Amino acid sequence: MRRSFVVLLLAALASWASPSLHAAGPLNIVATTEDLGAIAREVGGDKVTVESMARGYQDPHFVEAKPSFVIKLNKADLLIAVGRELEIGWLPPLVTQSRNAKIQPGGEGYLDASLTAKILEIPTGQITRAMGDVHPQGNPHYWLEPGNGRRIAQAIQAKLSALNPSDAAYFGSRYADFDKRLAAAEQRWDGLMVAYKGVKVVTYHRSWPNFAERFGLDVIGYVEPKPGIPPSPSHTLDLIQEMKRQNAKVILVEPYFDLKTPNSVARETGAQVVVLAPSVGAEKEITDYIKLFDYDIDKLLAAFKAAGVR
Ligand SMILES: [Zn+2]
């Protein structure tokens, strides 16, 4: 009894004496999305525990802020966020309420994964509400491109090694293994997609610019008039005209949008509607980052075939 008390006291003193050093045991990571969570698991292995907040089938712009998130954030050693204001509508009050100094923006336990990623659609000039509501700092859906997946993994590796230097070699070898598997998968995906370079598609939300650029698809329009603004009759008519003019035959839709407008556009244009997974966890079988692209490319190829594209 007495001895265990002394051990506890020593442990408490040790953690008091060196507050920035991580205590023994896995680092507690909270990721805002399942994509970031999945990549953190790849790099962190059994030296971390990972919880994700937004589910892969939810619109990450609009997530219900549950009290359980505050409890998780309170105990977190590291918070990983997508950034670019993707989570602006729900994350900041949770981080404040967590009363965890480490994970406040700028803290040693806060990682904005967008800082080292390739970001598209960064607005130039003055930003106004007329541009839409939800992408004021460039496109935040950048994780849908394997090169950015690799950059996110690299940033996580660096952060975990800084938080827990004694495991830096472990995180380094986990990263190297992920990088190798991702590179092999990219070769496979490129082989499958090479025949469809330049295919014209329409997407519901601007979720896919990085994906489209990487795999050579040409996005000619959107079901939403502007990011975060629901379809309007006049925009839908314009979209139908444009799809007919450019012979676009595939409409990509995220799982959290109503299919009514995409289906009616498809009826008018003879296009195929395909629901793709924007995130890990959008479907049960998508349990990691590589499986996300396996799933989407498989679905996309089936839609191209059904639409008679090439
Ligand atoms: Zn968005």
Side-chain angles (χ1 to χ4, degrees):
M1 206 65 172
R2 183 167 205 115
R3 190 146 138 201
S4 64
F5 173 77
V6 170
V7 169
L8 280 175
L9 184 68
L10 286 173
L13 281 171
S15 69
W16 171 80
S18 52
S20 69
L21 280 184
H22 176 66
L27 286 163
N28 291 325
I29 299 176
V30 176
T32 58
T33 67
E34 294 200 60
D35 309 286
L36 297 178
I39 296 171
R41 250 178 229 113
E42 298 279 6
V43 178
D46 56 15
K47 306 280 188 193
V48 300
T49 62
V50 181
E51 303 244 28
S52 306
M53 291 194 272
R55 298 268 70 93
Y57 49 80
Q58 290 179 312
D59 184 341
H61 290 291
F62 306 102
V63 174
E64 196 199 339
K66 296 188 217 155
S68 62
F69 292 160
V70 177
I71 297 163
K72 283 169 187 165
L73 287 169
N74 174 260
K75 294 181 203 140
D77 297 303
L78 173 61
L79 168 62
I80 310 174
V82 172
R84 302 282 156 173
E85 298 200 359
L86 181 82
E87 304 101 336
I88 189 108
W90 55 277
L91 184 64
L94 294 173
V95 173
T96 306
Q97 285 161 38
S98 77
R99 296 170 183 274
N100 180 347
K102 283 186 289 189
I103 62 153
Q104 304 299 315
E108 63 163 0
Y110 179 83
L111 177 60
D112 176 341
S114 76
L115 295 181
T116 50
K118 179 178 178 186
I119 304 299
L120 300 177
E121 301 176 352
I122 293 176
T124 52
Q126 201 180 345
I127 297 161
T128 70
R129 298 300 273 181
M131 294 167 176
D133 272 344
V134 295
H135 293 176
Q137 291 190 7
N139 194 291
H141 303 273
Y142 59 85
W143 68 86
L144 281 161
E145 192 272 303
N148 272 341
R150 182 175 284 108
R151 292 181 190 103
I152 295 167
Q154 242 162 12
I156 292 173
Q157 182 212 343
K159 178 56 87 177
L160 294 180
S161 300
L163 290 175
N164 213 347
S166 56
D167 286 325
Y170 175 84
F171 298 133
S173 81
R174 296 277 311 184
Y175 167 76
D177 180 64
F178 174 65
D179 173 46
K180 207 168 116 185
R181 284 182 289 118
L182 186 60
E186 283 187 270
Q187 275 199 341
R188 190 170 76 239
W189 300 327
D190 286 337
L192 291 167
M193 291 293 283
V194 70
Y196 298 98
K197 286 241 183 299
V199 167
K200 293 177 195 299
V201 300
V202 162
T203 76
Y204 195 110
H205 181 72
R206 286 182 182 250
S207 301
W208 309 92
N210 295 82
F211 182 95
E213 185 188 73
R214 174 64 177 76
F215 294 109
L217 304 178
D218 184 6
V219 182
I220 64 139
Y222 307 92
V223 177
E224 286 180 333
K226 279 163 188 149
I229 307 295
S232 67
S234 68
H235 175 75
T236 301
L237 284 176
D238 290 346
L239 180 65
I240 289 167
Q241 292 308 313
E242 193 58 22
M243 286 178 69
K244 285 180 175 169
R245 200 175 70 75
Q246 299 211 41
N247 199 30
K249 292 290 182 197
V250 177
I251 306 171
L252 282 54
V253 183
E254 298 79 354
Y256 36 81
F257 290 121
D258 192 336
L259 286 171
K260 200 175 131 226
T261 304
N263 282 341
S264 76
V265 171
R267 270 195 303 276
E268 292 293 323
T269 57
Q272 291 287 318
V273 172
V274 57
V275 179
L276 293 189
S279 282
V280 172
E283 295 290 336
K284 260 205 180 95
E285 67 200 87
I286 309 172
T287 51
D288 66 35
Y289 185 73
I290 289 175
K291 287 192 181 116
L292 173 63
F293 292 89
D294 284 338
Y295 180 92
D296 282 334
I297 287 172
D298 192 50
K299 281 272 204 171
L300 208 47
L301 294 178
F304 287 162
K305 285 196 182 89
V309 177
R310 302 194 179 160

